[in-house]
Amino acid sequence: MSTSPDVARMKRELERLIAIDTQNPPGHEAPAAQYLRDLLASSGFDVALQEYKPGRVNVVSRLENGAGPVFAFNTHMDVVPGGEGWSSDPFALTEKDGRLYGRGACDCKGPLAAMLESMRMLAADRTAWSGTLLGVFVADEEIASEGAKFYAAGHPRIDAAVVGEPTSNAVFSAHKGSLRPVVRVYGVSAHSGTPHLGENAIYRAGELLGLVAEHHDKVVRHRSHALVGAASLTVTRINGGHADNVLPGACDLLLDRRMVPGEDEAAVKREIGELLKVARKRFGVRAEVIDYRATTGGATETAEDSSIVQASLAASRANGVTKPGPFGFQGACDLVHFTGIGAQGVVIGPGDLAVAHKPDEFVPVDEFITASLIYRDVAKAMLRN
């Protein structure tokens, strides 16, 4: 086994991963999980599959190499739907002008294939490190992080982790979190020809919408974090009425609240409840939170002076990244579920988030290869003898 990346093998495995349909919804990561299990087992890893729902499977691989810390690589197997507008088949890897195109090329099958290669390099040279190396590859990051949440619920011991997401191989040490309450605004149904006999829930929702915008502008957006920017509150869906000739008796709003590191989810929920009380007092609006939609999770941050951040910055810089960071994600990812069980963690990966979820998603070949070296070097630094 080689201690340098096998580029041809990396491309072959990325090609195979992209060809396995893990569009989420519905996900169905089981075939990808089985493929990864076979690859990792052949490299000497103990591998277990965690099926938390039919067809929804995590891969947990483990290589013990003496006493020492526990270090984990993590990324996800699911991808967003292929969609339209592609110049090539989204599920057939296409190489052109130094880029590898395909759905998941950078989010997140490219980082996954690079992690596989780094794990092989580490397995091939066990004199350079001591401890336990994990590969935790999960289902359903794109919708609700069910896979990572299921894994973390077992409270595994992990001292440090690198999460694979497209960062152009820079180091991201913080990300936002999300909360999505469904607010039901109540009215009184009546015949649309006699609206004075009822109360239009859509009009009432309009009054609440103004308060939501006001609360964002005056309060929420002023909560800022140095790496991820400002918190936010907005409305992304509205649904009201059930017939063309009936005054709507209810109207539902889906709020999207982006939290920054340091914000407490329970406190944010209480704040939304207080906003609804203000709507009642100011306008007579009757409304309540009836549900919370599943999201990736909360916000998190790993301190810049922590060993994982410093080791990651050094590895990124040593492998040619001119602006290694640390930076912060505007969105969310699975890092929060690893820091939630006590691990230090960062996010690193090849490719640019700006091309993820779009037609003609790609990962640059040079970043793809370099990522495997950065991953290897971070693991070595964290698993020193």
Side-chain angles (χ1 to χ4, degrees), residues 47 259 344 350:
V47 188
M259 299 173 289
Q344 299 179 3

Side-chain angles (χ1 to χ4, degrees), residues 3 9 21 28 45 139 173 211 225 252 266 277-278 318 321 359 367-368:
T3 55
R9 177 172 60 192
D21 186 355
H28 193 63
F45 288 82
S173 57
L211 276 183
H225 183 273
D252 291 348
K277 290 180 182 178
V278 171
V321 179
E367 288 186 16
F368 178 49

Side-chain angles (χ1 to χ4, degrees), residues 75 104-116 164-166 348-350 375:
T75 192
C106 72
D107 188 14
C108 240
K109 291 178 177 179
L112 175 49
M115 285 180 169
L116 287 173
E165 293 284 349
I348 307 172
Y375 291 149

Side-chain angles (χ1 to χ4, degrees), residues 152-194:
H155 301 287
R157 177 199 162 190
I158 298 177
D159 298 301
V162 170
V163 175
E165 293 284 349
T167 68
S168 299
N169 287 335
V171 179
F172 283 60
S173 57
H175 66 69
K176 287 183 178 179
S178 55
L179 185 71
R180 295 195 182 99
V182 180
V183 175
R184 177 158 293 169
V185 181
Y186 294 99
V188 177
S189 294
H191 193 291
S192 60
T194 55

Side-chain angles (χ1 to χ4, degrees), residues 20-33 51 54-57 78 139:
I20 300 173
D21 186 355
T22 57
Q23 294 176 90
N24 191 12
H28 193 63
E29 296 87 353
E51 186 172 29
R56 312 308 300 271
V57 183
D78 62 319

Side-chain angles (χ1 to χ4, degrees), residues 31-46:
Q34 292 157 4
Y35 175 63
L36 294 175
R37 176 194 59 196
D38 294 344
L39 290 178
L40 288 160
S42 68
S43 296
F45 288 82
D46 293 325

Side-chain angles (χ1 to χ4, degrees), residues 37-112:
R37 176 194 59 196
D38 294 344
L39 290 178
L40 288 160
S42 68
S43 296
F45 288 82
D46 293 325
V47 188
L49 300 185
Q50 294 181 334
E51 186 172 29
Y52 65 88
K53 285 182 179 178
R56 312 308 300 271
V57 183
N58 293 336
V59 180
V60 182
S61 59
R62 185 180 191 92
L63 182 63
E64 295 184 1
N65 188 38
V70 179
F71 176 87
F73 288 119
N74 160 259
T75 192
H76 57 96
M77 296 175 284
D78 62 319
V79 297
V80 297
E84 299 179 349
W86 285 76
S87 302
S88 58
D89 183 346
F91 300 105
L93 187 69
T94 301
E95 182 170 1
K96 182 179 180 181
D97 299 328
R99 296 173 173 179
L100 299 168
Y101 290 87
R103 177 55 83 218
C106 72
D107 188 14
C108 240
K109 291 178 177 179
L112 175 49

Side-chain angles (χ1 to χ4, degrees), residues 69-324:
V70 179
F71 176 87
F73 288 119
N74 160 259
T75 192
H76 57 96
M77 296 175 284
D78 62 319
V79 297
V80 297
E84 299 179 349
W86 285 76
S87 302
S88 58
D89 183 346
F91 300 105
L93 187 69
T94 301
E95 182 170 1
K96 182 179 180 181
D97 299 328
R99 296 173 173 179
L100 299 168
Y101 290 87
R103 177 55 83 218
C106 72
D107 188 14
C108 240
K109 291 178 177 179
L112 175 49
M115 285 180 169
L116 287 173
E117 193 65 17
S118 72
M119 291 169 71
R120 286 197 190 93
M121 289 187 280
L122 291 161
D125 183 13
R126 303 185 198 188
T127 63
W129 59 277
S130 181
T132 300
L133 175 63
L134 301 179
V136 182
F137 305 124
V138 298
D140 186 55
E141 187 270 351
E142 293 290 0
I143 292 181
S145 287
E146 287 183 344
K149 291 173 183 175
F150 182 85
Y151 175 73
H155 301 287
R157 177 199 162 190
I158 298 177
D159 298 301
V162 170
V163 175
E165 293 284 349
T167 68
S168 299
N169 287 335
V171 179
F172 283 60
S173 57
H175 66 69
K176 287 183 178 179
S178 55
L179 185 71
R180 295 195 182 99
V182 180
V183 175
R184 177 158 293 169
V185 181
Y186 294 99
V188 177
S189 294
H191 193 291
S192 60
T194 55
H196 61 286
L197 298 179
E199 181 183 5
N200 193 317
I202 292 178
Y203 287 166
R204 288 304 200 182
E207 292 172 315
L208 178 57
L209 287 173
L211 276 183
V212 169
E214 178 184 299
H215 187 64
H216 167 80
D217 289 338
K218 292 185 176 181
V219 178
V220 177
R221 72 182 181 89
H222 297 288
R223 296 173 184 161
S224 190
H225 183 273
L227 297 182
V228 305
S232 63
L233 173 66
T234 191
V235 180
T236 57
R237 290 182 183 269
I238 184 168
N239 181 49
H242 68 278
D244 293 350
N245 59 349
V246 177
L247 206 70
C251 181
D252 291 348
L253 305 176
L254 180 62
L255 307 187
D256 185 294
R257 176 65 157 85
R258 297 294 167 140
M259 299 173 289
V260 299
E263 286 196 288
D264 176 70
E265 184 173 304
V268 170
K269 288 182 176 180
R270 287 194 298 272
E271 188 176 77
I272 291 169
E274 289 301 315
L275 185 64
L276 300 185
K277 290 180 182 178
V278 171
R280 180 70 179 254
K281 183 177 181 180
R282 190 182 299 184
F283 301 116
V285 171
R286 296 176 292 118
E288 65 175 334
V289 175
I290 61 168
D291 191 19
Y292 285 93
R293 294 282 176 86
T295 70
T296 302
T300 194
E301 177 183 19
T302 301
E304 184 173 350
D305 62 358
S306 66
S307 56
I308 184 66
V309 173
Q310 290 301 309
S312 299
L313 291 171
S316 184
R317 191 179 297 112
N319 283 283
V321 179
T322 56
K323 295 181 179 180

